[in-house]
Amino acid sequence: MTTHRIAVGIDVGGTFTDLAALHADGTVHTSKVLSVASDRAAGVLEALRVAALNGSQIAHIAHGTTVVTNLLLERAGARVVACATEGFTDLLELRRQERAALYDLAKQHPRPLVEPAQVIPVRERITPDGVTLALTDEAIAEVIAAVTAQQPDTVAITLLHAYGDPSHERALRDALVAALAVAGLVVDVVCSHEALPEIREYERMATTVAEAYARPAVRRYLAGLSERLAQHDYPAPRVMTSAGGTLSAHDAASHAAALALSGPAGGVTGAAAIARALGVSRALTIDIGGTSADVGLVDDGEPLVERGGAVAGVPIALPRVLVEAVAAGGGSIAWLDDGGALRTGPMSAGASPGPAAYGRGGVRPTVTDAHVVLGTIAPGEWSGGVTISLEHARAAVDTIAAPLGVSLERAAEAIIATADATMARALRRVSVERGVDPRDVPLIAFGGGGPLHACGLAERLGMRQVIVPPHAGVLSAVGLALAPERRESLVSVMQRADDMSAASLATLLEHEARAMRTDGDDAVSLNVRWWLRARYEGQGYELDVPVQPGDTPGSVAERFVARHDQRAGFVLDRAVEFISARTTLSSAAWPVHFARPTRDGVLADGVDDGRAMARVLEGPAVVRLPDATMRIAPGWTARSLEIGGWMLEQQR
């Protein structure tokens, strides 16, 4: 009988669906198929079919999904009615009262997910000192009548200071659920004290509304995917969260906002595993796919997790792996603006029709077409059922070259340089804004296009080392497969460090860990971690500080001061206060063994580049990898690694 000892990761991208199968001995097998834009589940099933995996072999399937991101981009989510404290119903409109662009008076913020007419005032008021206006039965009845009249798909409740006292939110939720059921309406009611129990009313309301907006579609998608997998005897999927762990499909359906960066988080998780295998503690990462380039940061061997950020203009203040996405993927379309300047993106050719070189009907030039013209992507058969045509690529790039009056090669170089400039700016933002000098760290480049652009990006940033990992083209799927199952808890603290005792801190953390455990948990195999969100008293931003068993509030405060100095470059003579505590409960990560394959790749001119032996290549050269292409720029050398993949270094 076959044992269940294969962990499967499936990354559904805009162009390709990638699969990685991690076997019990840690070996990795991968496959790649074209995504089906109209039916994401079809791509998942096709990837499993191509990998020749049956359900009896699989321990779990971990899935990265773009469902929430697409909903927010397309504004295609549920019809939400929001309930807010009377006098504070315009929080989503006011935002933080900052301009969309400081010097562009015509630029506007994206519209909120709910219009003003869909925000219902609630006659109640809680302050940090207690209840000043009680929530009465009459006030509840008014809200019920207003909500019922609008016939929403979901309801989002955000009342003032509910992170500290959720009694009013709970009372309103219970009354709404009961009344809507009587009226024959089955809707989700999402409360802010459950979605985000932290200070800052705008971010809390925006996150709660985002959860309500995305939850119905996420629930339908995961139910449909689970059903179709079950029809082929596959297990229900786990789903990657923005914070880098996985949830069961059942739990993920109730944490839609936590899935906003589901796919990109897998890539940084995979890159962190590569960094640990090489003994690298800190690195920048870039994942260049068909639609976008995702930039991240590995710190102390782990993906850097932060709070906040926006997805498609919607603030979601939940923990997330630091990822900044820019529209500079292989399918990004090159075009000339009204002033004749060359641009790339944000439009993408996607999987259908794809770049012109695919010969599937695309005629507009893309970054991939530019590489084909320059010979860094060779014509012929590629993975995922793609055939590259030089003729089609040249015809597309000529639509840029002719108006500019330059050669095809010069136009192709300009397209790539434009995309590189966009990605380099993102790498600077991710690193420099967090006190990291990019010149001091390596760049881990993966995705189908990462190894192609790595040297050019490194040169722009003054970086001298590039790591091209094994399985570079499908590393996000590898990260999904090895990611642990993880549950997270947030709880408000709002206390100064010098007012908190060591005993009260220990009690708080242990209580949160116990509250997350279930009867089926194996306590021995679970890993518990804690963070305190801290700031100087009166400060407008916070940092997450890891907490170890036995830490005192004072030692955590000292760790915050050191981290603040590293990040911001200064310290203040002020008390440190703790805003909230985050607890994670994780299973063990799936074992993985990276090893050099018998053949790492073939040079672009068709010459075999070696057999399982260490070797060094000098640029300029192009190496065709099993699932990507690596360009070694002039002045760079590439050394094959024991774990597979390559270390590229600029010669001094």
Side-chain angles (χ1 to χ4, degrees):
M1 180 176 176
T2 303
T3 57
H4 297 216
R5 295 301 299 164
I6 300 177
V8 175
I10 301 179
D11 178 37
V12 181
T15 305
F16 290 103
T17 293
D18 301 332
L19 182 146
L22 275 57
H23 293 252
D25 59 0
T27 58
V28 183
H29 293 88
T30 66
S31 60
K32 182 187 289 281
V33 299
L34 285 171
S35 294
V36 182
S38 60
D39 185 358
R40 300 291 186 181
V44 172
L45 292 169
E46 176 65 9
L48 288 164
R49 187 194 66 79
V50 169
L53 294 171
N54 61 64
S56 64
Q57 298 173 288
I58 296 174
H60 69 257
I61 296 174
H63 174 43
T65 176
T66 58
V67 168
V68 176
T69 306
N70 292 341
L71 283 174
L72 298 177
L73 284 169
E74 299 166 8
R75 292 298 195 265
R79 187 171 185 275
V80 180
V81 166
C83 302
T85 300
E86 190 174 49
F88 292 83
T89 55
D90 52 1
L91 284 175
L92 296 179
E93 295 285 330
L94 291 175
R95 299 178 62 98
R96 283 285 169 192
Q97 298 190 42
E98 83 282 10
R99 292 176 179 169
L102 186 59
Y103 299 112
D104 185 353
L105 301 183
K107 190 169 184 178
Q108 301 293 321
H109 288 292
R111 295 293 303 166
L113 299 179
V114 296
E115 296 296 329
Q118 297 169 289
V119 184
I120 297 169
V122 183
R123 288 193 292 116
E124 64 84 40
R125 184 68 186 270
I126 292 178
T127 72
D129 298 322
V131 177
T132 60
L133 178 61
L135 178 65
T136 64
D137 291 342
E138 181 183 2
I140 291 175
E142 292 172 357
V143 174
I144 290 173
V147 170
T148 304
Q150 296 213 33
Q151 301 281 299
D153 297 320
T154 55
V155 179
I157 301 176
T158 308
L159 304 182
L160 286 183
H161 301 289
Y163 59 86
D165 181 354
S167 58
H168 283 182
E169 284 196 349
R170 288 172 177 161
L172 182 57
R173 175 197 60 198
D174 294 346
L176 268 172
V177 170
L180 292 172
V182 170
L185 297 175
V186 181
V187 302
D188 274 316
V189 179
V190 182
C191 293
S192 72
H193 74 271
E194 296 172 330
L196 183 68
E198 285 190 339
I199 61 171
R200 293 198 174 89
E201 301 302 325
Y202 168 60
E203 285 78 6
R204 189 156 53 89
M205 186 173 186
T207 302
T208 305
V209 168
E211 173 66 34
Y213 188 79
R215 185 178 289 183
V218 167
R219 184 167 290 164
R220 288 192 300 271
Y221 171 75
L222 292 178
L225 176 60
S226 298
E227 181 180 353
R228 291 177 68 176
L229 287 170
Q231 290 171 355
H232 294 80
D233 297 323
Y234 292 118
R238 295 181 186 176
V239 185
M240 175 68 86
T241 70
S242 301
T246 62
L247 289 172
S248 68
H250 177 270
D251 290 341
S254 298
H255 294 82
L259 309 181
L261 295 174
S262 170
V268 187
T269 301
I274 296 295
R276 291 192 299 271
L278 292 173
V280 174
S281 63
R282 178 178 285 178
L284 282 168
T285 71
I286 187 160
D287 176 7
I288 305 177
T291 305
S292 66
D294 301 322
V295 173
L297 178 64
V298 173
D299 190 29
D300 197 23
E302 297 286 344
L304 180 63
V305 175
E306 292 188 340
R307 311 279 188 93
V311 179
V314 178
I316 297 179
L318 295 172
R320 64 183 183 109
V321 170
L322 173 64
V323 174
E324 180 166 336
V326 292
S332 294
I333 294 172
W335 53 286
L336 301 176
D337 66 17
D338 292 340
L342 178 63
R343 310 276 189 179
T344 57
M347 303 84 70
S348 173
S352 179
Y358 286 9
R360 297 173 179 265
V363 294
R364 304 186 67 182
T366 67
V367 174
T368 293
D369 296 312
H371 280 295
V372 174
V373 167
L374 293 176
T376 47
I377 294 180
E381 299 292 329
W382 283 75
S383 59
V386 171
T387 301
I388 299 295
S389 164
L390 175 60
E391 180 183 357
H392 286 125
R394 289 177 65 87
V397 173
D398 191 48
T399 64
I400 294 293
L404 293 178
V406 299
S407 67
L408 285 176
E409 290 72 17
R410 181 69 187 92
E413 290 170 352
I415 291 170
I416 293 170
T418 304
D420 280 354
T422 299
M423 291 184 278
R425 286 194 294 270
L427 286 163
R428 288 192 187 95
R429 286 193 294 270
V430 163
S431 57
V432 175
E433 289 182 5
R434 289 160 182 82
V436 176
D437 188 338
R439 296 171 297 183
D440 297 335
V441 299
L443 175 65
I444 302 178
F446 54 99
L452 265 178
H453 290 259
C455 289
L457 291 171
E459 289 174 354
R460 286 175 178 267
L461 295 164
M463 305 173 76
R464 293 187 173 273
Q465 280 191 330
V466 169
I467 298 167
V468 175
H471 317 292
V474 294
L475 190 65
S476 289
V478 174
L480 289 167
L482 61 83
E485 190 168 10
R486 180 183 298 158
R487 299 193 289 274
E488 301 212 2
S489 169
L490 286 173
V491 61
S492 179
V493 177
M494 293 306 298
Q495 194 169 355
R496 283 172 47 148
D498 52 16
D499 291 337
M500 178 181 280
S501 68
S504 63
L505 174 60
T507 299
L508 168 70
L509 300 180
E510 287 300 329
H511 176 269
E512 289 304 303
R514 285 196 303 271
M516 284 195 295
R517 295 186 188 273
T518 64
D519 293 338
D521 284 340
D522 179 0
V524 175
S525 65
L526 290 175
N527 178 34
V528 183
R529 299 181 67 185
W530 297 279
W531 291 263
L532 281 172
R533 192 157 173 78
R535 68 181 183 183
Y536 287 115
E537 193 171 33
Q539 209 168 26
Y541 64 92
E542 300 85 36
L543 295 174
D544 282 341
V545 182
V547 183
Q548 304 297 330
D551 275 346
T552 65
S555 64
V556 178
E558 291 174 0
R559 199 171 297 137
F560 161 77
V561 171
R563 178 161 290 201
H564 190 282
D565 189 26
Q566 184 267 329
R567 175 72 63 85
F570 66 91
V571 298
L572 296 176
D573 186 19
R574 290 186 184 179
V576 174
E577 61 181 351
F578 302 138
I579 302 304
S580 61
R582 178 165 68 100
T583 306
T584 64
L585 205 63
S586 304
S587 64
W590 194 267
V592 61
H593 176 64
F594 297 114
R596 183 189 295 134
T598 56
R599 294 177 65 179
D600 273 353
V602 177
L603 292 176
D605 62 3
V607 178
D608 193 331
D609 75 345
R611 309 271 186 178
M613 301 297 290
R615 54 205 175 276
V616 176
L617 301 175
E618 294 189 2
V622 176
V623 178
R624 180 167 171 174
L625 306 175
D627 43 32
T629 301
M630 179 176 69
R631 173 179 174 265
I632 309 168
W636 288 74
T637 60
R639 172 173 51 88
S640 64
L641 297 170
E642 290 291 336
I643 67 167
W646 300 79
M647 174 71 77
L648 280 66
E649 295 181 296
Q650 190 174 29
Q651 300 171 9
R652 295 182 181 274

